[in-house]
Amino acid sequence: MILHIPHSSKVIPEDLRYQFVLTDDDLTVELLRITDTFTDELFALPEATILRFPISRLLVDVERFRDDAEEPMSKKGMGMIYTLTANGKKLKRTLQLQEKDILISQYYDTHHQALLTEVKIELEKYGKALIVDCHSFPSHPLPCDEDQTIPRPEFCIGTDSFHTPEALSQTTVLSLKKMGYSVQMNQPYKGTLVPMALHGKDGRVASIMIEINRSLYMDEMTGAKTSKFDSTKKQIQTLLRSIKQFQQQGQPGVVFT
Ligand SMILES: [Zn+2]
């Protein structure tokens, strides 16, 4: 099982800070808004392979399509390389082609290559692979969010019509409901990540997205952990272990090929 953690980092390397037009204070606020804070701790199951993107999504977002024409969020200035804040304000100065190329080759492509390599290792070892795409979301919609419905669920499960076996999404939803959480499928966020080279082609690659409502573990105004953090982390670890076991055993009548 590969735990993909794309949005937990708040790191802006010193030599890339100049790309932003925001003051330090405004940048801190934007990072708090947009980062899936603490997901690297919440989803860190020791017995899984963990692939964490090391810098902030504000620099380059590995969950967006490489081509803006394919990426719906690019219309909101939030394609692979964001130009606007979540509130629609100017985020960066205009980047030169060369500056974009550095972000893409050093970070975006390197990360996607690493993911593809991990998937291939699993395929070789086990004849199948499972990616869990690990995120969190604000309890109130951001202005840039397509789905503005409130209240939001405690968990959102994202699926792909080709790469998410129904039994996998069902067992995930059921496990969360048994823990007493409210769950929605593909609402307010949809989809799950699969390496582009294998997307829609290799049915041995399964993928599911798990998004947790930030109000379950942090104070969204200050960015601090709440007293519920440890118990929430335990529940996520239990969930991940049950998904891993499910994947290993398969399920009678469920084909993971
Ligand atoms: Zn995310």
Side-chain angles (χ1 to χ4, degrees):
M1 178 162 72
I2 300 160
L3 301 173
H4 183 241
I5 305 177
H7 293 154
S8 69
S9 175
K10 288 194 174 86
V11 171
I12 310 266
E14 192 84 24
D15 61 334
L16 299 173
R17 171 67 179 87
Y18 77 95
Q19 294 186 354
F20 295 91
V21 297
L22 302 183
T23 62
D24 284 349
D25 284 351
D26 286 347
L27 186 56
T28 301
V29 170
E30 186 63 11
L31 280 168
L32 184 59
R33 208 178 270 147
I34 209 84
T35 306
D36 296 350
T37 307
F38 302 130
T39 47
D40 51 339
E41 291 183 50
L42 291 169
F43 288 89
L45 190 71
E47 59 264 42
T49 300
I50 295 169
L51 189 64
R52 175 181 183 255
F53 190 53
I55 61 167
S56 170
R57 68 192 289 189
L58 283 183
L59 283 160
V60 58
D61 191 341
V62 291
E63 289 270 331
R64 303 287 198 243
F65 285 114
R66 209 173 185 282
D67 181 1
D68 270 356
E70 281 183 73
E71 177 51 63
M73 286 302 284
S74 70
K75 290 187 194 79
K76 298 186 174 180
M78 296 177 90
M80 175 175 55
I81 296 175
Y82 298 1
T83 55
L84 300 176
T85 68
N87 288 345
K89 296 207 174 98
K90 191 174 160 74
L91 177 69
K92 290 178 192 162
R93 56 179 203 76
T94 306
L95 298 185
Q96 303 299 312
L97 217 56
Q98 203 189 351
E99 292 170 312
K100 288 184 185 178
D101 282 346
I102 289 171
L103 288 173
I104 296 167
S105 62
Q106 279 188 12
Y107 294 103
Y108 186 97
D109 286 347
T110 304
H111 183 81
H112 278 272
Q113 191 53 49
L115 178 63
L116 183 59
T117 301
E118 292 300 344
V119 169
K120 283 182 174 171
I121 289 171
E122 284 219 343
L123 286 175
E124 249 173 56
K125 264 196 200 165
Y126 310 114
K128 57 187 176 183
L130 171 64
I131 300 166
V132 180
D133 204 12
C134 311
H135 297 257
S136 71
F137 60 93
S139 55
H140 291 280
L142 295 171
C144 62
D145 284 332
E146 209 172 300
D147 191 336
Q148 293 286 322
T149 311
I150 44 169
R152 296 184 134 193
E154 292 174 307
F155 279 85
C156 163
I157 302 303
T159 61
D160 178 275
S161 57
F162 187 82
H163 291 280
T164 313
E166 207 168 312
L168 174 62
S169 50
Q170 275 174 2
T171 196
T172 306
V173 170
L174 206 68
S175 297
L176 285 166
K177 283 191 172 166
K178 273 187 194 159
M179 291 173 183
Y181 292 119
S182 60
V183 191
Q184 278 178 349
M185 295 262 290
N186 294 307
Q187 281 180 309
Y189 302 98
K190 55 186 176 219
T192 184
L193 192 78
V194 174
M196 281 315 288
L198 306 173
H199 189 254
K201 293 173 193 148
D202 194 335
R204 297 174 302 162
V205 181
S207 180
I208 189 161
M209 179 170 76
I210 301 175
E211 295 238 16
I212 176 172
N213 190 314
R214 291 178 196 155
S215 65
L216 289 178
Y217 67 89
M218 68 181 270
D219 180 326
E220 296 172 83
M221 298 304 285
T222 66
K225 289 175 186 172
T226 60
S227 56
K228 288 191 291 183
F229 184 89
D230 288 338
S231 57
T232 302
K233 179 176 171 172
K234 269 192 193 134
Q235 299 281 51
I236 291 180
Q237 303 270 305
T238 303
L239 172 71
L240 291 174
R241 284 199 176 96
S242 72
I243 291 173
K244 190 167 190 282
Q245 201 178 19
F246 179 83
Q247 158 80 352
Q248 275 169 348
Q249 292 171 347
Q251 183 114 318
V254 176
V255 181
F256 269 109
T257 52

